[in-house]
Amino acid sequence: GTGSNILSVLQDLFWLLKSKVEKQLQIISVLQWVLTFLVMGIACTLILMYILCTDCWAIAALYLAWLVFDWNTPKKGGRRSQWVRNWAIWRYFRDYFPIRLVKTHNLLTTRNYIFGYHPHGIMGLGAFCNFSTEATGVGQKFPGIRPYLATLAGNFRMPILRDYLMSGGICPVNRDSIDYILSKNGSGNAIIIVVGGAAESLNCTPGKNSVTLKNRKGFVKLALRHGADLVPVYSFGENEVYKQVIFEEGSWGRWVQKKFQKHIGFAPCIFHGRGLFSSNTWGLLPYSKPITTVVGEPITIPKIDNPSQKDVDFYHSIYVDSLIKLFDKYKSRFGLPETEVLEVN
């Protein structure tokens, strides 16, 4: 009896220690990604410049030569790595929140797709985890479909960061890149565009479900030009993981944010999450709130080389209706009341 009691205590201790280690690994995995998102590009640029001024300048010179040679690769589908996409660190990243991917319909490998991802949130955590890694099983749920998460083209001008992003299947959100993937890369491609972009990130806050979409029609025009089906995607919980200071329209703070958005492509947000050692302190770590990304039913889009504004408006209205229906169908399953309404701005 005594031996059994000791074994039981040891087993409990083992599982307790394992749980603590896993929690720490989850925190480390999320922290490295947050730092990558915020500072990796600038840090790698400064380090490269420093190395050029040292005795190791040849290493930096060789990389810069490679950079010139490889400059257009991001515009041609990038250079994804299944090894990187399957890193164990992404599973810890997934479990921190946790993040889930919900499939509602099959996707044909004979078609190409543009996924409209909503909402942006502060960092698009759900978009990254679900479509730039295999942590939530996107490859198993949509066999034969190659996802490309589109992000700011400026990120691909940053040394090292560009290669890191491409390894996950991330591409620039510009016309050259999207045209190449949808017209010269065969079928079975899915480009994920965070439609609301920087403007939407300025309004994200816990408890608010709103999307910037009314005047965002460029992705619909691209779909028509290539005959790529549109797929609405909504991420429940994306706005819950950070708290943000919202500046009112007309305030100096909003003016500064809009100037940055117009000239640089992103809007600086004043936000906070939890601290590194305690959830009761402020810090850069997101709060561990569940994020559930629901991929809706594809909307069949015809190929029109020069779509008129009437064509664009027609399919845009269909897309907006489909997104609202997707939100209404699944909102109660993921903690929202039946009375919750998706605000479309």
Side-chain angles (χ1 to χ4, degrees):
T2 303
S4 297
N5 289 336
I6 293 174
L7 181 61
S8 177
V9 170
L10 289 175
Q11 286 177 335
D12 291 343
L13 182 62
F14 170 78
W15 288 113
L16 180 62
L17 290 173
K18 183 180 179 182
S19 176
K20 286 187 176 180
V21 168
E22 286 187 347
K23 187 62 181 177
Q24 293 305 313
L25 288 172
Q26 290 170 12
I27 289 173
I28 291 169
S29 69
V30 175
L31 180 62
Q32 69 82 27
W33 189 86
V34 169
L35 293 177
T36 296
F37 182 90
L38 294 176
V39 302
M40 183 177 180
I42 295 173
C44 288
T45 302
L46 293 175
I47 290 170
L48 196 66
M49 292 172 62
Y50 171 75
I51 293 174
L52 279 171
C53 301
T54 68
D55 293 338
C56 298
W57 64 268
I59 297 174
L62 283 172
Y63 179 80
L64 288 174
W66 161 253
L67 194 62
V68 172
F69 174 78
D70 195 54
W71 190 254
N72 289 322
T73 297
K75 299 177 183 178
K76 297 180 178 179
R79 188 170 46 248
R80 74 174 56 222
S81 166
Q82 285 302 115
W83 174 65
V84 174
R85 288 175 61 89
N86 282 288
W87 277 354
I89 195 172
W90 306 131
R91 294 193 290 276
Y92 290 112
F93 182 97
R94 171 199 66 196
D95 294 339
Y96 172 85
F97 297 92
I99 296 174
R100 287 179 55 211
L101 179 65
V102 176
K103 169 186 174 180
T104 62
H105 291 79
N106 292 324
L107 298 180
L108 300 175
T109 57
T110 55
R111 300 285 292 173
N112 284 325
Y113 302 90
I114 293 179
F115 287 18
Y117 184 91
H118 313 270
H120 183 287
I122 295 292
M123 296 185 185
L125 293 158
F128 170 79
C129 185
N130 285 307
F131 301 113
S132 294
T133 80
E134 293 295 331
T136 56
V138 64
Q140 288 73 44
K141 291 177 180 177
F142 300 104
I145 302 297
R146 293 180 297 276
Y148 294 87
L149 177 61
T151 188
L152 290 175
N155 290 325
F156 296 89
R157 302 187 188 103
M158 302 283 189
I160 310 300
L161 175 62
R162 67 188 292 276
D163 301 288
Y164 191 35
L165 294 177
M166 283 194 290
S167 68
I170 301 177
C171 68
V173 62
N174 58 32
R175 182 168 172 175
D176 289 343
S177 176
I178 294 172
D179 282 348
Y180 183 92
I181 293 170
L182 295 180
S183 64
K184 299 179 181 179
N185 203 41
S187 59
N189 302 292
I191 297 179
I192 297 89
I193 299 177
V194 186
V195 178
E200 191 172 83
S201 68
L202 296 178
N203 295 314
C204 68
T205 187
K208 187 173 183 179
N209 288 284
S210 66
V211 296
T212 302
L213 183 57
K214 279 184 180 179
N215 297 315
R216 298 294 174 106
K217 300 181 181 181
F219 72 106
V220 178
K221 190 173 184 178
L222 281 169
L224 286 164
R225 289 180 61 246
H226 294 284
D229 293 349
L230 288 171
V231 182
V233 179
Y234 197 84
S235 234
F236 294 91
E238 184 73 64
N239 285 345
E240 307 300 316
V241 296
Y242 280 110
K243 296 178 181 179
Q244 180 182 189
V245 176
I246 304 293
F247 292 102
E248 296 295 330
E249 289 292 339
S251 66
W252 67 269
R254 183 54 65 102
W255 180 84
V256 170
Q257 289 176 322
K258 287 188 173 182
K259 285 295 181 182
F260 265 83
Q261 179 189 336
K262 180 179 179 180
H263 297 292
I264 301 178
F266 74 92
C269 302
I270 300 177
F271 65 92
H272 73 84
R274 52 155 291 183
L276 183 59
F277 301 107
S278 172
S279 59
N280 296 321
T281 58
W282 287 11
L284 288 176
L285 278 176
Y287 294 104
S288 52
K289 302 288 185 179
I291 298 174
T292 306
T293 302
V294 184
V295 180
E297 182 178 3
I299 303 165
T300 303
I301 301 294
K303 188 177 187 303
I304 304 175
D305 291 333
N306 294 297
S308 65
Q309 190 60 49
K310 184 178 180 180
D311 294 325
V312 173
D313 291 344
F314 175 73
Y315 285 100
H316 181 266
S317 66
I318 293 176
Y319 178 86
V320 173
D321 290 342
S322 296
L323 178 65
I324 293 172
K325 287 177 182 177
L326 180 71
F327 177 84
D328 288 339
K329 182 177 180 179
Y330 288 93
K331 60 186 178 183
S332 60
R333 301 187 195 184
F334 304 119
L336 297 178
E338 283 291 345
T339 54
E340 184 73 18
V341 175
L342 179 62
E343 182 182 328
V344 179
N345 298 313

